[in-house]
Amino acid sequence: MLIGHQIAYRNVASKYYHCKSEDLQLAFEDFTAILERNMYHPTGDMFFALISDPTEDEMIVEIFLPIQESVFQAVNGEQIYFQSYYTIKPMVMTRITENFNQLAQDKYWELFSFLHQHDYKQRTPIFVEYKQTKNNHPYIEMGIGIYPEL
């Protein structure tokens, strides 16, 4: 676990989705397509917040996608939010470098166990960021915002 991690992006559009875990990729594709149809240019740095318990039949997620544009006009018929700056810090973070589907649930519970063992207070839902190394190897960072120590 890494303590002191942060998420920080500029010009972030976001949208809530209710979906099954196996349909999460479809939600990503839908959100990207909506933005592109409306002439926004995603940067590719997609991440999401897992709002609901992952063991439930249907998940509630907020998908975030930074865009190149610094001005955002409402998209007709869609409830999309926009923030010029999006920052979550401090966070506790863990990485998954392989077997993403198998390890994601374990890492989810590992984060909560770590918070409990170290008396950290949860401030945000779990955030999941999809990333790549310089050699194009994918990995996932899962993090949770905590209240700063006083």
Side-chain angles (χ1 to χ4, degrees):
M1 296 288 157
L2 175 64
I3 302 169
H5 181 70
Q6 72 176 8
I7 291 175
Y9 291 98
R10 292 187 60 198
N11 304 327
V12 178
S14 70
K15 180 173 172 47
Y16 285 89
Y17 283 85
H18 295 254
C19 61
K20 295 184 180 294
S21 60
E22 60 267 18
D23 295 331
L24 191 55
Q25 183 62 38
L26 294 174
F28 295 155
E29 292 168 6
D30 178 67
F31 188 38
T32 301
I34 291 168
L35 292 174
E36 289 175 347
R37 269 195 317 272
N38 287 277
M39 306 309 288
Y40 293 105
H41 300 90
T43 65
D45 299 319
M46 184 177 293
F47 62 102
F48 71 94
L50 181 56
I51 309 298
S52 61
D53 184 328
T55 61
E56 293 181 16
D57 187 41
E58 186 173 276
M59 300 187 321
I60 301 170
V61 296
E62 184 175 8
I63 298 174
F64 300 86
L65 190 54
I67 58 174
Q68 292 176 5
E69 292 76 16
S70 59
V71 176
F72 189 85
Q73 299 295 320
V75 174
N76 194 21
E78 299 289 347
Q79 192 165 7
I80 297 176
Y81 303 94
F82 180 77
Q83 296 178 64
S84 297
Y85 297 96
Y86 192 86
T87 303
I88 304 288
K89 66 180 182 180
M91 298 179 81
V92 173
M93 183 272 294
T94 187
R95 282 192 183 96
I96 305 171
T97 58
E98 59 188 13
N99 302 322
F100 302 121
N101 292 335
Q102 296 88 346
L103 294 176
Q105 185 114 178
D106 292 340
K107 292 292 187 176
Y108 176 91
W109 295 113
E110 194 177 295
L111 278 167
F112 284 105
S113 176
F114 185 86
L115 291 183
H116 179 72
Q117 290 171 358
H118 294 87
D119 286 329
Y120 288 114
K121 302 282 187 265
Q122 177 183 355
R123 189 170 55 91
T124 70
I126 293 280
F127 282 86
V128 179
E129 293 181 271
Y130 293 98
K131 297 188 171 192
Q132 285 189 339
T133 65
K134 291 178 183 176
N135 296 329
N136 294 323
H137 294 288
Y139 66 97
I140 294 174
E141 289 183 349
M142 293 178 74
I144 189 166
I146 56 174
Y147 286 100
E149 294 184 62
L150 300 175

